[in-house]
Amino acid sequence: MRPTPADPDAWNAYLAEGNATQARKRVAADVVLRNPDGDVLLVNPTYKPGWDLPGGMAEPNEAPDDAARRELKEELGLDLPLQGLLVVDWVPPHGPWDDQIAFIFDAGALGRDQATALRPHDEELSELAFVPSQQAGAWLRDRLSRRFEAAMEALVDRRPRYLHDGG
């Protein structure tokens, strides 16, 4: 028998049991960050092949936007407000990974001096580059490239996109 909220202890025990058995999702949170010319920042991680958007994985119980801001601070030394949500993408299981939810946020544009001085801030990044947005998709893995293209469309019409595996 399911307890009712009128018995708080029994209700909390019931909710805790459900929480322990329900699926948990991995959450990725990336950003689109531009220079004054509109070029997009890409980063080259040291722990995986290929170029990526700035960002990373959320920690337990961390909101996706907080994860994106934390990753910007850790990897690039930037403390930036986010301008809004661009993409939510459900990524199905692939390789050894379970499914995940991937977010892309708009991090706005840096000033010219800040963009020119930007360097990797920790050992997770080997290099970074500002790339024209029309070329950036070719630098990214297929799934991320499709997600990036949707983010660029969302920047234009200010309508976030919900995707399934980048499409």
Side-chain angles (χ1 to χ4, degrees):
M1 182 168 105
R2 181 169 51 153
T4 67
D7 180 356
D9 291 335
W11 181 247
N12 284 334
Y14 172 77
L15 294 177
E17 181 182 338
N19 185 58
T21 60
Q22 291 175 358
R24 297 191 183 246
K25 304 278 187 210
R26 289 178 307 118
V27 173
D30 294 337
V31 301
V32 171
L33 179 62
R34 297 168 307 284
N35 68 12
D37 299 322
D39 298 333
V40 177
L41 180 66
L42 300 181
V43 296
N44 193 356
T46 57
Y47 55 89
K48 63 181 177 181
W51 288 80
D52 210 341
L53 292 172
M57 301 304 291
E59 295 177 354
N61 301 314
E62 182 179 38
D65 57 331
D66 290 340
R69 292 188 68 232
R70 175 184 51 75
E71 289 286 346
L72 280 173
K73 194 168 202 168
E74 289 174 3
E75 295 178 353
L76 298 166
L78 296 173
D79 188 7
L80 300 173
L82 299 178
Q83 310 288 312
L85 175 67
L86 299 174
V87 170
V88 177
D89 187 12
W90 176 77
V91 180
H94 55 285
W97 295 104
D98 290 335
D99 67 335
Q100 74 172 2
I101 305 294
F103 293 81
I104 298 180
F105 295 95
D106 178 8
L110 298 175
R112 190 158 310 281
D113 290 343
Q114 196 174 21
T116 302
L118 194 61
R119 301 287 179 270
H121 199 69
D122 71 12
E123 69 283 344
E124 288 189 11
L125 302 179
S126 63
E127 58 187 322
L128 55 85
F130 282 98
V131 178
S133 61
Q134 303 85 351
Q135 298 172 12
W139 288 45
L140 303 170
R141 295 175 316 282
D142 287 343
R143 179 180 289 118
L144 181 55
S145 178
R146 294 190 308 270
R147 193 178 307 142
F148 170 77
E149 295 300 331
M152 297 310 292
E153 292 171 6
L155 271 175
V156 172
D157 65 19
R158 302 310 299 174
R159 287 182 36 236
R161 303 301 199 267
Y162 175 67
L163 309 174
H164 280 233
D165 200 19

